[in-house]
C-alpha cells in the first residue's frame, strides 16, 4: 500500500515496501506558479504544472504534470490495495458486510517492559514503561519525566504494540521521533478513503494506511493523530486501551472545520489582545494609553467591558464572565475580581485609586445634556460658586427672650413636582459626598448658583422664626415665605474662633450660641441622647494621580460652632413637624423608637466618644410616618421633619413642596400614600449614598495611614471590648474607629498608643499594634 501526503504545493508518495518513517524522510518538491485543479477521487487541490525536479519511482524517470502523476499513482494505489485486501482476507476472513471476524479490540495483558500511555491527570497524558505489578490490578510505571508512580488499569489510554522489554532510557528518543512524524494532514487522506468505503479502523490499521507500516513507532504516531484529531474520526467503540475509529460524515467534518477555524481565529485575536495588554502593562505610568483609547475598537471594548464587569462582580451574562476569565488566564493571573482590578489599573484604564462601588452601583456622576439644558433654563445668572441651603439670624427681645430665624433656600421655586429636573432629582434621591468629589442631586449650576443663598444678594427663602422660653422650649413660631440678604458666610472653623474670642460686635453670633445651649439642655431633659463624637473628614485634591494629596481633619461634633448649627437645624425640624401636624399636612415625619433607653446604664462611661459609641450600638433605625408626627427619642422631640437641605436631599424637597403649597393656599401636591411610595425609592438611594460615603472615607483613611511613617504613634481610646482582648479603638488624631489586641488590665475609657503595622486600602485591611 502507498501513503499520500498533500502539503501546500507538493505531494509525497510512499510505497508499502519503503522503509518505515522512522528510517527515511521523503523529499519535498518545489513548483513554479500554477493554477489549481481538484482531483476527482481524493478531493485535494493539486497544481497543474511541471516540477523543477524529476520524480524518481520504480527505476524510471517521470516527467509529467503533477495532475497526470496523481492519476498514475492512484491506479497503482488501487491495484496494491486490491492485492493487499486479498491477502488480508485470506488470513482473517471477511463477512459479506465487510466486518472482521477476528475481534479487533482484544486487549494485551499487562507485563513488564510494555510501552504504554496513561492519563496522569485531567490535563496530562504521559508515555511510560511498565515496571511491576502493584497489588491486584495496579502497575508501577516509569514515565517520560523520570517519575515512578502507581497507575490503575482505567488510566491506560494506549499500549504500543510490538514492543517487549522496552528500555526506559529510550523514552525521550521515542517521543522525539513520534513528534517529528506527526502531521494531521495525513488523516485527511485516510478519512477520504474510509468514508468512501464506509469502513472503520484500529490504530494499527490506520498506521498501515498512512505510513505504510504498523511498526511500534508508526502505530503510536497513528494513535497520537487519532487522539488529538477533532475533525475526521470519532471513536465507535472502546475496550480497555483499544479503540475502533470511524470516519465522520462530510457535513459534520465541514462543520467541525469551520468551528476549528473560528477557534483558531479567536485564539489569534486573543493573543493579539494579550500582547496589547502586556505592552500597556509594561509602559511607565505617564506613557500608558488613555482610557478612551481602550473603547474605540469593538473587540477591545468588549474585552475591557468584560474585565470591568468581572472586577466589580457585575457580569451581565456568562459570556462576559468567560471572556474575562480567559483573558486573566492568558495573562497568567488568577481568575479573581482583584486580579481584574489590578490588570485594569496596570494598563492605565482604571486610576490607581478607582472607586469600585461607584461603578458597581452604576452611580450617576454626571447629568445628561437634556437635564443640564432644562436646569439652565430655570436659572437666574449668578456667579457664587458655593452651595448654601440655610442661614441663621437671631435677636434678643425686650422681654429678654431669644428669637432665632432659620432661613432655608427656596429650591422649590425653581422646580415643579413631576418636571424633568424634579424626576431626575428623585431618581438620585440625594447628593453624594465623597472625599474625591461631590455628585449633586441637581445639576451643579442650578444647585450652586440658582438655588443657593448668596452673600450680599436678595434671595428667596422659607423662614422659620422661633421665640424660646427661658428653659429652651418653643414659645412661639412661624413659617413664612421670605426674601433675605445674607450678610456674610462663616465656616465652622471661623465661627468657632469668633465664639471663642467673644467679641462684643458679634452679638448675633453670641445669641445663636446661647439659644443653642438652651435647646440642647432642654432636649437632654426630654430624654435626648448626646451622640456627638470625633469624625474624620478627608478631601482628596487630585484623586486620578497615583499619589494624590490627602487633606485630613477631625471634626469634633461637640465643637461650639457645630453645636450651634446642629441645634438650629433640629429646632427647625421640630417647628415644621408641629406646623404640619397643626395644619394636617402630610410630611415625612421622622421618629426613633429608642425613647426607653436607660441613659443611666451608661453613666459609668466617660462622656463624649466613649459613651456615645456605647449608646449608638443599641440604637435602632429611624422610622417615618407620613400622616402625623411620631416621637424622636434620640433627639428628645415630639416630632421632627428634615427641612433644611432641599438642594441636597429629595425628602427635604418633598417637605418644601408640601409646605410651600400650603403657604400659597394651593392643593397639596402629594397625599400621605404617595409620599410613602416615593420615600421607599428615595430611602434606597439615600442608604446607598451613605454606604458609598462610608466605604470611600474608610478607603482614603487607610491610604492616609499607609503613607505615614512607620515610627508614627497614635493616641487611641478603648471604646469597648469585642472579644477577649480585642478592643474597638478610636484613633483620636484621625477620628477613625478600628480594632486591635490590647494588654491585659486595660479598661474601657483607657487611652493607649498604637502604631500601624499594615494598611492596605484596596483590601480594606488595617493592622494596629499596641505600643508596649
Amino acid at each position: 500500500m502507498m501513503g499520500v501526503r498533500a502539503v501546500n504545493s507538493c505531494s509525497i508518495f510512499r510505497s508499502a515496501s519503503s522503509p518505515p518513517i522512522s528510517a527515511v524522510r521523503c523529499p519535498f518538491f518545489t513548483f513554479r506558479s500554477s493554477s489549481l485543479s481538484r482531483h476527482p477521487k481524493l478531493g485535494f487541490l493539486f497544481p497543474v504544472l511541471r516540477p523543477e525536479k524529476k520524480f524518481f519511482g520504480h527505476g524510471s524517470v517521470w516527467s509529467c504534470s503533477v495532475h497526470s502523476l496523481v492519476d498514475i499513482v492512484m491506479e497503482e494505489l488501487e491495484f496494491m490495495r486490491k492485492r493487499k485486501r486479498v491477502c488480508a482476507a485470506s488470513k482473517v476472513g471477511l463477512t459479506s458486510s465487510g466486518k472482521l471476524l477476528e475481534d479487533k479490540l482484544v486487549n494485551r495483558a499487562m507485563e513488564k517492559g510494555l510501552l504504554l500511555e496513561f492519563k496522569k491527570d485531567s490535563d496530562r497524558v504521559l508515555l511510560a514503561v511498565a515496571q511491576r505489578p502493584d497489588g491486584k490490578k495496579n502497575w508501577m510505571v516509569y514515565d517520560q519525566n523520570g517519575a515512578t508512580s502507581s497507575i490503575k488499569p482505567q488510566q491506560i489510554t494506549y499500549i504500543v504494540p510490538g514492543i517487549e522489554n522496552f528500555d526506559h532510557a529510550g523514552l525521550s528518543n521515542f517521543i522525539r521521533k513520534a513528534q517529528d512524524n506527526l502531521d494531521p494532514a495525513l488523516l485527511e487522506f485516510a478519512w477520504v478513503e474510509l468514508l468512501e468505503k464506509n469502513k472503520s479502523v484500529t490504530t494499527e490499521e490506520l498506521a498501515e494506511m498512512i505510513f505504510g507500516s504498523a511498526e511500534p513507532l508508526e502505530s503510536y504516531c497513528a494513535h497520537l493523530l487519532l487522539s488529538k484529531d477533532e475533525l475526521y474520526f470519532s471513536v465507535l467503540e472502546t475496550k480497555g486501551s483499544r479503540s475502533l475509529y470511524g470516519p465522520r460524515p462530510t457535513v459534520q467534518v465541514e462543520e467541525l472545520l469551520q468551528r476549528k477555524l473560528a477557534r483558531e481565529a479567536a485564539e489569534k485575536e486573543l493573543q493579539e489582545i494579550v500582547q496589547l495588554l502586556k505592552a500597556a502593562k509594561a509602559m511607565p505610568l505617564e506613557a500608558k494609553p488613555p482610557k478612551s483609547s481602550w473603547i474605540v475598537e469593538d473587540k477591545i471594548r468588549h474585552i475591557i467591558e468584560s474585565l470591568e464587569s468581572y472586577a466589580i462582580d457585575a457580569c451581565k451574562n456568562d459570556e462576559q464572565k468567560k471572556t474575562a476569565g480567559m483573558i486573566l488566564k492568558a495573562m497568567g493571573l488568577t481568575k479573581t475580581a482583584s486580579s481584574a482590578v489590578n490588570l485594569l489599573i496596570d494598563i492605565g484604564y482604571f486610576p490607581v485609586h478607582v472607586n469600585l462601588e461607584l461603578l458597581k452601583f452604576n452611580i450617576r456622576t454626571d447629568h445628561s445634556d437634556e437635564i443640564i439644558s432644562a436646569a439652565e433654563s430655570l436659572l437666574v445668572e449668578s456667579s457664587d460658586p458655593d452651595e448654601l441651603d440655610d442661614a441663621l439670624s437671631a435677636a434678643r427681645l425686650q422681654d429678654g427672650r431669644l428669637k432665632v430665624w432659620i432661613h432655608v433656600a427656596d429650591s422649590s421655586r425653581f422646580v415643579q413636582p413631576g418636571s424633568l429636573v424634579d424626576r431626575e432629582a428623585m431618581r438620585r434621591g440625594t447628593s453624594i459626598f465623597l472625599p474625591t468629589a461631590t455628585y449633586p442631586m441637581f445639576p451643579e449650576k442650578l444647585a450652586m448658583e440658582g438655588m443657593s443663598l448668596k452673600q450680599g444678594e436678595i434671595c428667596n427663602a422659607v423662614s422659620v422664626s422661633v421665640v424660646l422660653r427661658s428653659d429652651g422650649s418653643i414659645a412661639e413660631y412661624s413659617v413664612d415665605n421670605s426674601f433675605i440678604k445674607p450678610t456674610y458666610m462663616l465656616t465652622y472653623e471661623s465661627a468657632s474662633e469668633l465664639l471663642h474670642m467673644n467679641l462684643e460686635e458679634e452679638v448675633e453670633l453670641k445669641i445663636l450660641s446661647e439659644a443653642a445651649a438652651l435647646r440642647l439642655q432642654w432636649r437632654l431633659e426630654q430624654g435626648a441622647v448626646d451622640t456627638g463624637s470625633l469624625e474624620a473628614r478627608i478631601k482628596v485634591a487630585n484623586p486620578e494621580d497615583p499619589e494624590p494629596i490627602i487633606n485630613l481633619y477631625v471634626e469634633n461634633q461637640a465643637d461650639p460652632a457645630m453645636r450651634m448649627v446642629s441645634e438650629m437645624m433640629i429646632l427647625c425640624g421640630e417647628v415644621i413637624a408641629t406646623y404640619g401636624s397643626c395644619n394636617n399636612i402630610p410630611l415625612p415625619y421622622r421618629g426613633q423608637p429608642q425613647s426607653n433607653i436607660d441613659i443611666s446604664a451608661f453613666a459609668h462611661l466617660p462622656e463624649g466618644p466613649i459613651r456615645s459609641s456605647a449608646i449608638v450600638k443599641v440604637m435602632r433605625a429611624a422610622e417615618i410616618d407620613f400622616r402625623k408626627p411620631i416621637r424622636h427619642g434620640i433627639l428628645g422631640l415630639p416630632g421632627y421633619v428634615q427641612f433644611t437641605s432641599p438642594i441636597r436631599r429629595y425628602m427635604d424637597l418633598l417637605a418644601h413642596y408640601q409646605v410651600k403649597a400650603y403657604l400659597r393656599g394651593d392643593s397639596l401636591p402629594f397625599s400621605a400614600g404617595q409620599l410613602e411610595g416615593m420615600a421607599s425609592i428615595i430611602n434606597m438611594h439615600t442608604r446607598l449614598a451613605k454606604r458609598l460615603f462610608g466605604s470611600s472615607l474608610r478607603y482614603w483613611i487607610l491610604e492616609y495611614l499607609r503613607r505615614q511613617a512607620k515610627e508614627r504613634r497614635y493616641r487611641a481610646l478603648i471604646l469597648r471590648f469585642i472579644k477577649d482582648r480585642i478592643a474597638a479603638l478610636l484613633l483620636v488624631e484621625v477620628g477613625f474607629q478600628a480594632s486591635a489586641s490590647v494588654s491585659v488590665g486595660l479598661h474601657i475609657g483607657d487611652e493607649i498608643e498604637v502604631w500601624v503595622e499594615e494598611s492596605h486600602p484596596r483590601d480594606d485591611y488595617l493592622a494596629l499594634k499596641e505600643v508596649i
Side-chain angles (χ1 to χ4, degrees):
M1 191 174 185
M2 300 183 69
V4 182
R5 177 185 178 190
V7 182
N8 296 331
S9 59
C10 68
S11 300
I12 297 174
F13 299 86
R14 295 183 61 255
S15 169
S17 61
S18 302
I21 58 175
S22 56
V24 69
R25 291 289 180 271
C26 296
F28 282 80
F29 299 93
T30 57
F31 298 89
R32 297 185 182 94
S33 60
S34 64
S35 61
L36 296 176
S37 177
R38 185 177 297 276
H39 191 275
K41 290 186 178 180
L42 287 180
F44 296 152
L45 292 175
F46 294 95
V48 182
L49 39 73
R50 297 279 180 178
E52 291 180 352
K53 290 187 178 181
K54 306 290 185 176
F55 181 89
F56 299 88
H58 300 287
S60 301
V61 178
W62 296 89
S63 180
C64 57
S65 71
V66 175
H67 197 283
S68 61
L69 176 62
V70 171
D71 288 330
I72 294 169
V73 173
M74 289 302 299
E75 291 175 5
E76 184 177 354
L77 270 171
E78 187 62 26
F79 171 77
M80 296 183 71
R81 286 175 187 149
K82 288 179 180 179
R83 186 176 66 181
K84 194 142 191 166
R85 280 198 294 271
V86 171
C87 294
S90 64
K91 290 181 180 180
V92 299
L94 290 173
T95 65
S96 59
S97 62
K99 181 180 179 181
L100 291 173
L101 296 175
E102 184 178 82
D103 185 2
K104 296 182 178 182
L105 299 180
V106 173
N107 280 294
R108 185 174 180 181
M110 283 291 291
E111 59 185 74
K112 181 180 179 180
L114 287 185
L115 184 61
L116 57 89
E117 182 189 79
F118 74 98
K119 197 165 187 178
K120 179 70 174 178
D121 50 44
S122 59
D123 297 323
R124 292 184 297 166
V125 175
L126 301 178
L127 200 63
V129 179
Q131 299 295 303
R132 65 182 186 278
D134 182 31
K136 292 183 178 180
K137 295 183 178 181
N138 296 354
W139 270 78
M140 297 297 296
V141 298
Y142 183 91
D143 67 36
Q144 66 191 63
N145 296 328
T148 301
S149 57
S150 176
I151 64 171
K152 299 176 181 178
Q154 56 265 36
Q155 288 180 257
I156 300 173
T157 53
Y158 187 65
I159 297 178
V160 180
I163 288 181
E164 295 180 358
N165 297 318
F166 190 89
D167 184 0
H168 61 71
L171 276 172
S172 297
N173 188 49
F174 188 88
I175 292 171
R176 179 182 57 76
K177 287 181 179 180
Q179 293 296 330
D180 288 345
N181 289 316
L182 295 184
D183 184 355
L186 296 173
L187 286 178
E188 187 174 3
F189 158 71
W191 171 73
V192 171
E193 180 177 349
L194 294 170
L195 182 65
E196 181 180 339
K197 298 183 177 180
N198 193 27
K199 288 185 63 178
S200 58
V201 289
T202 62
T203 302
E204 292 75 24
E205 289 171 339
L206 181 68
E208 186 71 42
M209 285 185 67
I210 62 178
F211 298 126
S213 168
E215 293 297 312
L217 181 61
E218 284 76 8
S219 294
Y220 184 59
C221 289
H223 163 72
L224 289 178
L225 287 171
L226 285 169
S227 63
K228 296 177 181 178
D229 173 49
E230 298 177 346
L231 297 176
Y232 301 110
F233 291 89
S234 61
V235 177
L236 299 179
E237 189 176 353
T238 297
K239 288 185 179 179
S241 61
R242 292 180 59 78
S243 298
L244 189 66
Y245 297 87
R248 298 181 191 271
T250 303
V251 174
Q252 188 177 8
V253 169
E254 290 177 351
E255 181 183 345
L256 291 171
L257 181 59
Q258 290 299 320
R259 292 181 185 177
K260 183 173 182 286
L261 294 174
R263 284 198 307 270
E264 290 173 351
E267 179 62 27
K268 181 182 178 183
E269 186 176 278
L270 172 65
Q271 290 305 317
E272 290 174 353
I273 292 174
V274 166
Q275 291 305 313
L276 184 67
L277 294 172
K278 288 182 176 179
K281 188 176 178 181
M283 291 178 181
L285 184 65
E286 63 276 5
K288 292 186 187 294
K291 181 176 181 177
S292 57
S293 67
W294 293 103
I295 54 178
V296 175
E297 293 185 36
D298 288 344
K299 62 180 181 181
I300 297 178
R301 184 176 68 248
H302 172 67
I303 295 292
I304 296 298
E305 287 176 349
S306 297
L307 284 170
E308 183 174 344
S309 297
Y310 198 86
I312 59 177
D313 193 24
C315 288
K316 298 174 183 175
N317 47 53
D318 289 340
E319 180 63 27
Q320 277 196 333
K321 189 179 294 185
K322 181 180 177 182
T323 300
M326 180 175 61
I327 291 293
L328 292 173
K329 183 178 180 181
M331 292 290 292
L333 303 171
T334 56
K335 295 180 182 180
T336 61
S338 60
S339 292
V341 172
N342 291 331
L343 176 58
L344 292 172
I345 290 173
D346 289 341
I347 66 173
Y349 181 78
F350 276 170
V352 173
H353 301 287
V354 59
N355 190 325
L356 296 175
E357 289 204 322
L358 275 180
L359 301 174
K360 184 173 184 176
F361 294 110
N362 195 26
I363 300 300
R364 293 182 174 95
T365 56
D366 297 310
H367 287 83
S368 67
D369 292 341
E370 182 184 21
I371 298 297
I372 291 174
S373 177
E376 289 183 351
S377 68
L378 304 173
L379 270 174
V380 176
E381 289 301 324
S382 175
S383 59
D384 190 340
D386 295 308
E387 183 180 326
L388 298 172
D389 48 16
D390 48 56
L392 303 173
S393 56
R396 191 181 301 276
L397 302 180
Q398 290 183 349
D399 59 8
R401 292 183 301 174
L402 303 182
K403 185 173 184 176
V404 297
W405 288 265
I406 302 102
H407 310 285
V408 184
D410 185 9
S411 54
S412 63
R413 164 176 176 262
F414 289 91
V415 289
Q416 297 298 317
S419 66
L420 184 65
V421 176
D422 172 75
R423 292 197 305 272
E424 177 64 18
M426 180 183 170
R427 276 192 288 268
R428 292 171 180 260
T430 180
S431 294
I432 297 176
F433 299 93
L434 303 180
T436 52
T438 296
Y439 304 110
M441 184 174 74
F442 288 110
E444 187 172 0
K445 193 171 184 180
L446 177 62
M448 293 188 175
E449 297 182 14
M451 295 178 170
S452 293
L453 302 177
K454 293 173 283 294
Q455 181 179 338
E457 295 185 21
I458 297 176
C459 307
N460 290 76
V462 178
S463 294
V464 174
S465 65
V466 185
V467 176
L468 297 177
R469 298 188 180 95
S470 58
D471 64 354
S473 61
I474 298 173
E476 303 171 18
Y477 72 85
S478 67
V479 179
D480 303 287
N481 291 316
S482 63
F483 295 100
I484 64 168
K485 186 177 182 181
T487 52
Y488 57 84
M489 294 165 47
L490 284 178
T491 63
Y492 286 123
E493 291 80 4
S494 58
S496 293
E497 186 175 351
L498 289 173
L499 288 170
H500 181 70
M501 293 172 66
N502 196 25
L503 299 176
E504 289 296 328
E505 57 269 28
E506 296 295 339
V507 175
E508 199 168 5
L509 195 61
K510 292 171 66 177
I511 294 174
L512 283 170
S513 179
E514 185 180 342
L518 285 175
R519 284 292 301 169
L520 175 60
Q521 184 59 40
W522 180 83
R523 289 195 306 107
L524 291 173
E525 291 172 356
Q526 307 308 308
V529 178
D530 185 3
T531 58
S533 185
L534 302 177
E535 292 191 2
R537 292 291 180 261
I538 281 184
K539 289 294 181 184
V540 182
N542 46 350
E544 297 292 316
D545 290 354
E547 292 288 323
I549 299 170
I550 301 175
N551 297 307
L552 180 143
Y553 62 96
V554 178
E555 185 178 275
N556 185 352
Q557 294 176 333
D559 175 83
M562 294 203 69
R563 286 282 196 196
M564 179 181 71
V565 174
S566 175
E567 286 299 329
M568 293 303 104
M569 300 304 103
I570 293 171
L571 175 60
C572 179
E574 182 185 358
V575 170
I576 295 298
T578 305
Y579 184 77
S581 176
C582 292
N583 296 289
N584 296 315
I585 304 174
L587 291 170
Y589 297 100
R590 292 180 176 271
Q592 205 151 18
Q594 284 90 344
S595 56
N596 295 325
I597 289 180
D598 184 6
I599 302 300
S600 63
F602 303 93
H604 65 288
L605 298 175
E607 287 188 5
I610 296 170
R611 186 181 295 180
S612 296
S613 173
I615 294 173
V616 167
K617 291 296 291 182
V618 299
M619 287 170 54
R620 302 212 314 264
E623 297 176 353
I624 304 180
D625 191 299
F626 298 92
R627 293 167 177 79
K628 63 182 185 303
I630 53 176
R631 177 168 173 75
H632 201 300
I634 295 299
L635 295 180
L637 301 178
Y640 177 68
V641 174
Q642 287 185 331
F643 192 77
T644 57
S645 297
I647 304 175
R648 298 181 278 186
R649 295 191 300 242
Y650 193 81
M651 291 294 283
D652 292 41
L653 182 63
L654 284 179
H656 273 248
Y657 283 149
Q658 298 289 85
V659 170
K660 286 283 292 184
Y662 183 83
L663 290 172
R664 292 192 304 267
D666 294 343
S667 298
L668 301 180
F670 304 110
S671 67
Q674 289 173 318
L675 288 176
E676 187 171 3
M678 297 163 72
S680 62
I681 299 172
I682 297 163
N683 287 335
M684 180 177 66
H685 293 296
T686 302
R687 286 191 295 269
L688 178 57
K690 288 180 179 178
R691 172 176 172 174
L692 287 170
F693 170 76
S695 62
S696 184
L697 179 65
R698 180 177 173 85
Y699 176 93
W700 286 106
I701 289 174
L702 295 188
E703 175 64 13
Y704 172 84
L705 292 173
R706 183 188 69 83
R707 298 189 192 181
Q708 303 308 301
K710 277 288 184 183
E711 60 271 16
R712 180 173 174 181
R713 301 296 183 258
Y714 301 86
R715 291 167 52 211
L717 284 175
I718 298 178
L719 299 177
R720 63 185 181 280
F721 285 97
I722 302 171
K723 183 181 180 182
D724 298 329
R725 304 312 302 170
I726 305 297
L729 306 176
L730 174 64
L731 303 186
V732 178
E733 296 99 332
V734 185
F736 180 66
Q737 291 190 23
S739 62
S741 179
V742 299
S743 302
V744 176
L746 291 173
H747 302 90
I748 293 175
D750 288 346
E751 184 176 305
I752 61 173
E753 271 195 334
V754 297
W755 60 281
V756 177
E757 182 181 40
E758 288 184 83
S759 182
H760 303 292
R762 182 63 64 201
D763 299 323
D764 192 24
Y765 178 74
L766 175 66
L768 300 177
K769 291 290 184 180
E770 180 187 2
V771 178
I772 305 299

